Amino acid sequence: MTDSRSRVAASIPASRSTRLRSLANSFPNVISAGYIAGTNFFHGRLADERAQALVAETHNKRPGTVEDIAETAYFLASPGARHITGQTLHVNGGAFTTR
């Protein structure tokens, strides 16, 4: 659902109105995070075996970090990403490609 929302927002011509321009500029891309260690996303209910399995699915055999996501968000907010629109960036160590 998030992916489709980003595509719709990215397809709105920025010249249509200030409100639509604001929407198109503020929600065009999505960061799809994989397993991020050290967060409370699973509310302490993620079994060690499942965490190890999630790490094993990655190409670099390590859990993601909050810094991985922050650096991706920083890049998307930078001028270097000004032509990236309506995309979902999978920040998961390549685990998405193993499924």
Side-chain angles (χ1 to χ4, degrees):
M1 183 154 151
T2 305
D3 191 44
S4 62
R5 286 183 184 174
S6 67
R7 289 181 187 184
V8 168
S11 69
I12 298 169
S15 61
R16 293 222 14 220
S17 76
T18 304
R19 182 171 179 273
L20 291 178
R21 186 178 324 116
S22 174
L23 174 64
N25 289 334
S26 65
F27 191 58
N29 297 309
V30 175
I31 297 172
S32 177
Y35 172 61
I36 306 297
T39 65
N40 196 26
F41 182 79
F42 293 100
H43 306 287
R45 294 187 294 244
L46 182 67
D48 289 338
E49 298 81 26
R50 179 65 181 139
Q52 291 171 4
L54 290 170
V55 170
E57 290 179 3
T58 67
H59 291 276
N60 55 10
K61 304 303 178 205
R62 71 169 182 83
T65 65
V66 172
E67 290 78 15
D68 292 329
I69 304 306
E71 289 176 17
T72 303
Y74 183 81
F75 166 71
L76 285 173
S78 75
R82 68 183 166 269
H83 202 61
I84 298 173
T85 329
Q87 300 301 309
T88 300
L89 278 73
H90 297 275
V91 182
N92 56 21
F96 183 75
T97 62
T98 62
R99 293 184 192 147

